[in-house]
Coordinates of all heavy atoms in Angstrom, one line a residue:
D17 N 7.5 -3.9 66.5 CA 7.9 -5.2 67.0 C 9.4 -5.1 67.6 O 9.6 -5.7 68.7 CB 7.8 -6.3 66.0 CG 6.5 -6.5 65.4 OD1 5.5 -6.2 66.1 OD2 6.5 -7.1 64.2
A18 N 10.2 -4.4 66.9 CA 11.6 -4.2 67.6 C 12.2 -2.9 67.2 O 12.1 -2.4 66.1 CB 12.4 -5.3 67.0
I19 N 12.9 -2.3 68.3 CA 13.7 -1.2 68.0 C 15.1 -1.7 68.0 O 15.4 -2.7 68.7 CB 13.6 0.0 69.0 CG1 13.8 -0.4 70.3 CG2 12.1 0.6 68.7 CD1 13.9 0.8 71.4
V20 N 16.0 -1.1 67.3 CA 17.5 -1.4 67.3 C 18.3 -0.5 68.1 O 18.1 0.8 68.0 CB 17.9 -1.5 65.9 CG1 19.5 -1.9 65.8 CG2 17.2 -2.5 64.9
N21 N 19.1 -1.0 69.0 CA 19.9 -0.2 69.9 C 21.3 -0.1 69.3 O 21.9 -1.2 68.9 CB 20.0 -0.8 71.2 CG 20.8 0.0 72.2 OD1 21.1 1.1 71.9 ND2 21.1 -0.7 73.4
A22 N 21.8 1.1 69.1 CA 23.2 1.4 68.8 C 24.0 1.3 70.1 O 24.4 2.2 70.8 CB 23.4 2.8 68.2
A23 N 24.4 0.0 70.4 CA 25.0 -0.3 71.7 C 26.5 -0.3 71.6 O 27.0 -0.1 70.6 CB 24.6 -1.8 72.1
N24 N 27.2 -0.6 72.7 CA 28.7 -0.9 72.5 C 28.9 -2.3 72.9 O 28.0 -3.1 73.3 CB 29.4 0.1 73.5 CG 29.0 -0.1 74.9 OD1 28.9 -1.2 75.5 ND2 28.5 1.0 75.6
E25 N 30.1 -2.7 72.7 CA 30.4 -4.2 72.7 C 30.2 -4.9 74.1 O 29.9 -6.0 74.2 CB 31.9 -4.5 72.3 CG 32.1 -4.3 70.8 CD 33.5 -4.8 70.3 OE1 34.4 -5.1 71.2 OE2 33.6 -5.1 69.1
S26 N 30.1 -4.1 75.2 CA 29.8 -4.6 76.5 C 28.3 -5.0 76.6 O 27.9 -5.8 77.4 CB 30.3 -3.7 77.6 OG 29.2 -2.7 77.7
L27 N 27.5 -4.3 75.8 CA 26.0 -4.5 76.0 C 25.6 -4.0 77.3 O 24.5 -4.3 77.8 CB 25.4 -5.8 75.7 CG 25.6 -6.3 74.2 CD1 24.8 -7.5 74.0 CD2 25.1 -5.3 73.2
L28 N 26.3 -3.2 78.1 CA 25.9 -3.0 79.5 C 25.5 -1.5 79.7 O 25.5 -0.9 80.7 CB 27.1 -3.4 80.4 CG 27.5 -4.8 80.4 CD1 28.5 -5.1 81.4 CD2 26.3 -5.7 80.7
G29 N 25.0 -0.9 78.6 CA 24.6 0.5 78.6 C 25.7 1.5 78.3 O 26.7 1.2 78.3
G30 N 25.1 2.7 78.0 CA 26.1 3.7 77.6 C 25.2 5.1 77.6 O 24.2 5.1 78.1
G31 N 25.8 5.9 76.7 CA 25.0 7.2 76.6 C 24.2 7.2 75.3 O 23.9 6.2 74.8
G32 N 23.8 8.4 74.9 CA 23.1 8.5 73.6 C 21.8 7.7 73.5 O 21.1 7.5 74.6
V33 N 21.5 7.0 72.5 CA 20.4 6.3 72.2 C 20.3 5.1 73.2 O 19.2 4.6 73.7 CB 20.1 5.9 70.8 CG1 21.1 4.8 70.2 CG2 18.8 5.6 70.5
D34 N 21.5 4.5 73.4 CA 21.6 3.3 74.3 C 21.0 3.6 75.8 O 20.3 2.9 76.3 CB 23.2 2.9 74.3 CG 23.4 1.5 75.0 OD1 22.4 0.9 75.3 OD2 24.5 1.2 75.1
G35 N 21.6 4.8 76.2 CA 21.2 5.1 77.6 C 19.7 5.5 77.6 O 18.9 5.1 78.5
A36 N 19.2 6.1 76.6 CA 17.8 6.4 76.6 C 16.9 5.1 76.5 O 15.8 5.0 77.1 CB 17.4 7.2 75.2
I37 N 17.3 4.1 75.8 CA 16.6 2.8 75.6 C 16.6 2.2 77.1 O 15.6 1.6 77.6 CB 17.3 1.9 74.6 CG1 16.9 2.5 73.2 CG2 16.8 0.5 74.7 CD1 17.7 1.8 72.1
H38 N 17.9 2.1 77.7 CA 17.8 1.4 79.1 C 17.0 2.1 80.0 O 16.3 1.6 80.8 CB 19.4 1.3 79.5 CG 20.0 0.1 78.9 ND1 19.9 -1.1 79.6 CD2 20.7 -0.1 77.8 CE1 20.6 -2.0 78.8 NE2 21.1 -1.3 77.7
R39 N 16.9 3.5 80.0 CA 16.2 4.4 80.9 C 14.6 4.0 80.7 O 13.9 3.8 81.6 CB 16.3 5.8 80.7 CG 17.6 6.3 81.7 CD 17.6 7.8 81.6 NE 17.6 8.5 80.3 CZ 18.8 8.6 79.5 NH1 19.9 8.2 80.1 NH2 18.7 9.2 78.4

Side-chain angles (χ1 to χ4, degrees):
D17 294 340
I19 61 171
V20 178
N21 184 12
N24 58 53
E25 287 192 342
S26 77
L27 295 187
L28 300 180
V33 73
D34 192 1
I37 288 170
H38 277 275
R39 276 193 299 280

